[in-house]
Amino acid sequence: MKNNNNPNFLRGISKLFVAVTSIMVILPVSVNALEFPSAPERNPPKSTAAGGRRGGCVQGDLPIKAITPGDDNKIKTVSSQPPFYIYIPKTKADSAQFMIKNEDGTQLDFQEIAIENGDYIIEINLPDQINITEGQTYTWEISLVCNPMFINSGNYTKGTIERVSLDQLTKTQLEMTGDTLDKAQIFANADIWTETLINVIAVKDSQPQEWIELLTSVGLHDYAEKSFATN
């Protein structure tokens, strides 16, 4: 029987194991059930009934809600002009106001957005001249405009967004796949929400179950069946 304790043989096996392991690490993931692994525990949505009676603004059972993985709406992106996705509840407001500020508190953008009845998800895009900087965290807020003298927690929501860079492993995985859902899961594994969402939205019409799975994985199943506003 051949002696496999030869040092050269063992070194060869070791190198082969490292090479195979490295390839396995950088290969794109195969998506079965799309999820966002780092999503924190989320509190169930609170009914807006009381707020609706007092403020007379939100008329549905669900509040205005950012489509993000946590109640703090703290997300990451790799884009200089990330989109924001917000659920607008049934409301008698005819507009919403969106603003975003940099770390110094300087307002970079203010938008007045027309609202018609609500109960849908809107996409908010930054103007061409506004770019967010890598390594910076920005605060944003959106509120329904009903009675300017009265705003309650059912009428607005806010959060933060940080632009980050991709690590080399994530870059390599993205370069090795052309599949949109694989890209979504790769971004999700890297804790980058905006690009996860963008890729899932890209196949939402053809593969609606993936949208439902992603939102369910972050506790937003109540919003998974909501339609997007048409432009």
Side-chain angles (χ1 to χ4, degrees):
M1 180 180 294
K2 186 176 180 179
N3 183 5
N4 288 340
N5 290 325
N6 183 287
N8 291 331
F9 175 82
L10 293 177
R11 279 196 295 270
I13 291 295
S14 177
K15 289 179 180 179
L16 178 62
F17 176 79
V18 171
V20 171
T21 303
S22 299
I23 292 172
M24 291 176 64
V25 168
I26 64 174
L27 282 175
V29 294
S30 178
V31 175
N32 293 316
L34 187 62
E35 61 180 18
F36 197 76
S38 61
E41 289 294 323
R42 182 187 289 278
N43 295 320
K46 296 180 181 178
S47 171
T48 62
R53 284 196 297 270
R54 291 185 284 109
C57 192
V58 176
Q59 298 177 317
D61 293 330
L62 294 173
I64 187 172
K65 175 72 73 173
I67 306 303
T68 68
D71 288 326
D72 59 3
N73 297 325
K74 183 178 181 180
I75 59 175
K76 297 176 183 177
T77 182
V78 295
S79 174
S80 62
Q81 292 187 315
F84 298 81
Y85 296 94
I86 310 292
Y87 168 73
I88 302 295
K90 291 181 179 179
T91 177
K92 65 180 184 180
D94 57 11
S95 66
Q97 293 179 342
F98 171 83
M99 68 179 68
I100 185 169
K101 299 179 180 180
N102 64 15
E103 290 185 340
D104 296 329
T106 302
Q107 182 173 290
L108 302 180
D109 184 38
F110 177 87
Q111 299 183 33
E112 186 112 9
I113 302 163
I115 298 298
E116 186 175 345
N117 299 323
D119 196 29
Y120 48 66
I121 296 170
I122 63 172
E123 177 182 327
I124 302 172
N125 294 287
L126 299 178
D128 292 341
Q129 67 272 23
I130 302 298
N131 292 275
I132 67 172
T133 304
E134 196 172 282
Q136 298 289 310
T137 300
Y138 298 77
T139 59
W140 59 266
E141 181 176 320
I142 183 169
S143 58
L144 300 174
V145 181
C146 287
N147 181 351
M149 301 300 294
F150 185 91
I151 297 179
N152 62 49
S153 59
N155 295 354
Y156 76 96
T157 189
K158 59 184 178 179
T160 63
I161 186 166
E162 178 188 4
R163 184 181 172 193
V164 298
S165 60
L166 293 174
D167 59 52
Q168 188 56 53
L169 174 60
T170 303
K171 287 180 181 179
T172 302
Q173 289 178 326
L174 290 170
E175 290 169 357
M176 293 181 67
T177 183
D179 184 84
T180 302
L181 289 178
D182 280 349
K183 289 181 179 179
Q185 189 63 72
I186 291 167
F187 278 117
N189 293 343
D191 192 30
I192 299 174
W193 175 254
T194 298
E195 282 65 31
T196 300
L197 203 58
I198 289 172
N199 279 280
V200 176
I201 289 173
V203 298
K204 182 177 180 292
D205 291 340
S206 61
Q207 302 182 68
Q209 187 59 35
E210 304 297 343
W211 169 258
I212 294 172
E213 287 176 355
L214 176 63
L215 264 60
T216 299
S217 79
V218 297
L220 290 176
H221 52 276
D222 290 318
Y223 301 87
E225 299 291 346
K226 300 301 181 182
S227 61
F228 276 67
T230 55
N231 295 327

